[in-house]
Amino acid sequence: MPSTPLSAELFNGHLAAVAISALNELGFLDELDRAGSLHLPSWVERNKLHAMTVDSLMEVMALYEIVTHSSDGTTRPGKHFADILRAKGYFTWLTSGYGRLFQKLSSTVPLAGRTPGFIDRDGRSIALGGKDYGRQFVDEQFDHVLRMRDFKVVADLGCGSAERLIGMVSRYSAEGIGVDVNAGAIELAAKGIQDAGLEHRIGLVLGDLRTLEPSPRLDRVDLLTSFFNGHDLWPREACLAVLERLKQVFRNVTRFLLCDTYRAEPFTSISGVPIFTLGFHVTHAVMGQYIPTREEWLELLKEAGWQCNGIHEIGIPYSAIFDLSPVRTSGGS
Ligand SMILES: C[S@@+](CC[C@H](N)C(=O)[O-])C[C@H]1O[C@@H](n2cnc3c(N)ncnc32)[C@H](O)[C@@H]1O
């Protein structure tokens, strides 16, 4: 059989990526995982779906051996199903989260096109994708690192929906404070906290880490966490100022778990490039957001007076938890 030329491989791979996202968002992948097999026509009818579209997406999925499909309509996991199931959040992040940006990619390159609001992305899909791959590749490892030391009050910086903060507070009978600069995120976090019945143990601060002021409330915090917002604080000088400020604002913090994706060293060949990394590099480049390398992080943390007591790589490629403690001089911070 002739080998597939690169052009066809890329074209077909793109279709497989959108098929995975769509079927993930329709709940198909989770349902097939739970049930072990699904009668496709019944699933389509039950969910009031367009049969021709589903059949066509399923043809792509079967060709990539993600599912198997028999003539009686039964669909089963194929040999790559488990891999795709675990990684499905990355596909939603890429194709649904950044799909609109990619559609207009060429118009974002000329400097004249980079006017306010030119970044058109779908925050909900980015959050949903992130939640999924976070659950698969972050939470268990983070919990393992967190358990190494006791804490009473945790402040989560750039808390987003506060899902992780809610998890920490409920699992460790601790108290929590979520800080985020985005009013929409704070609103979402407030709802999540209310739904979890944790209003009495978790407070929220709508504020910018770059200008946060000390307060008696923040003095009670002994643990800081930050998930995937560290790179938002770069460029270097700006991030240095925030890291130094955090020591002054959170005067009694003894530990800071900073979890983020860092820049991979330049690749020399496509073989061995993992999932997510190139997507993370490209999207952040388009947005003009610098991504520091692991070494740049370590150098900056040291300069800012945060001692690194351990680096724990997590399941997301080129991502780690930096386990830090503040270096305090006898004169104060
Ligand atoms: C990629 S999201 C991560 C959200 C959450 N930590 C998670 O892991 O799901 C980054 C969050 O950091 C927040 N953020 C970015 N810059 C910030 C700043 N200067 N001060 C406070 N929050 C900030 C954003 O609003 C956003 O909610």
Side-chain angles (χ1 to χ4, degrees):
M1 207 168 71
S3 69
T4 314
L6 179 66
S7 52
E9 207 182 288
L10 298 179
F11 188 94
N12 296 335
H14 184 85
L15 276 170
V18 296
I20 292 166
S21 293
L23 290 167
N24 176 30
E25 289 153 33
L26 289 165
F28 172 82
L29 298 176
D30 281 331
E31 204 170 326
L32 180 58
D33 181 47
R34 271 195 303 274
S37 73
L38 283 176
H39 184 252
L40 200 61
S42 314
W43 182 77
V44 164
E45 203 179 310
R46 214 168 40 248
N47 291 286
K48 299 189 174 58
L49 302 175
H50 187 244
M52 268 173 84
T53 308
V54 174
D55 287 346
S56 191
L57 296 178
M58 220 48 81
E59 181 187 4
V60 178
M61 299 286 274
L63 287 169
Y64 276 96
E65 299 182 79
I66 299 165
V67 298
T68 64
H69 197 55
S70 38
S71 52
D72 68 355
T74 307
T75 302
R76 293 194 168 81
K79 86 172 182 199
H80 299 300
F81 183 78
D83 171 32
I84 296 299
L85 184 74
R86 251 166 90 69
K88 61 189 182 308
Y90 291 126
F91 289 89
T92 286
W93 176 87
L94 183 73
T95 68
S96 300
Y98 284 99
R100 291 202 302 254
L101 186 68
F102 288 148
Q103 197 187 352
K104 297 180 192 153
L105 190 55
S106 62
S107 70
T108 69
V109 186
L111 296 178
R114 297 176 72 85
T115 48
F118 79 94
I119 296 162
D120 187 8
R121 53 183 193 156
D122 176 352
R124 185 174 173 276
S125 296
I126 291 172
L128 279 177
K131 185 167 157 180
D132 193 303
Y133 64 68
R135 201 175 285 153
Q136 314 278 350
F137 302 110
V138 182
D139 295 350
E140 204 176 301
Q141 279 149 299
F142 179 78
D143 215 43
H144 173 73
V145 177
L146 185 64
R147 261 185 274 129
M148 291 173 176
R149 262 176 57 191
D150 232 9
F151 65 96
K152 288 194 173 60
V153 184
V154 50
D156 189 27
L157 311 176
C159 65
S161 67
E163 182 159 306
R164 290 207 167 86
L165 183 61
I166 292 169
M168 284 189 275
V169 165
S170 14
R171 281 196 304 280
Y172 294 91
S173 57
E175 288 177 51
I177 298 176
V179 184
D180 205 290
V181 73
N182 183 294
I186 289 289
E187 212 175 291
L188 200 63
K191 182 165 183 323
I193 293 164
Q194 194 180 19
D195 290 350
L198 287 170
E199 302 100 309
H200 58 297
R201 278 167 48 201
I202 304 181
L204 291 170
V205 175
L206 172 60
D208 191 325
L209 297 172
R210 293 169 292 196
T211 52
L212 207 60
E213 294 289 340
S215 71
R217 184 187 186 199
L218 302 185
D219 281 349
R220 298 186 58 238
V221 172
D222 56 354
L223 171 69
L224 287 181
T225 56
S226 157
F227 299 93
F228 307 109
N229 86 315
H231 60 271
D232 289 331
L233 305 171
W234 283 65
R236 193 181 195 282
E237 284 313 304
C239 190
L240 176 65
V242 174
L243 288 170
E244 284 171 340
R245 186 182 191 89
L246 289 178
K247 288 198 301 175
Q248 290 156 13
V249 173
F250 296 96
R251 286 186 269 237
N252 296 310
V253 156
T254 56
R255 192 183 195 202
F256 180 12
L257 296 175
L258 191 161
C259 177
D260 209 356
T261 299
Y262 51 83
R263 174 178 299 281
E265 293 306 329
F267 296 104
T268 51
S269 143
I270 196 69
S271 68
V273 177
I275 193 163
F276 185 61
T277 304
L278 288 184
F280 189 70
H281 286 187
V282 169
T283 50
H284 284 80
V286 177
M287 294 186 286
Q289 177 63 62
Y290 182 73
I291 303 297
T293 64
R294 193 176 187 267
E295 287 62 40
E296 283 173 322
W297 264 123
L298 287 173
E299 215 183 276
L300 180 69
L301 289 163
K302 190 172 176 195
E303 187 178 333
W306 287 95
Q307 177 178 307
C308 185
N309 303 307
I311 306 175
H312 308 270
E313 294 291 329
I314 56 171
I316 299 175
Y318 299 97
S319 306
I321 302 164
F322 297 96
D323 190 345
L324 311 166
S325 54
V327 181
R328 299 198 191 269
T329 56
S330 50
S333 62

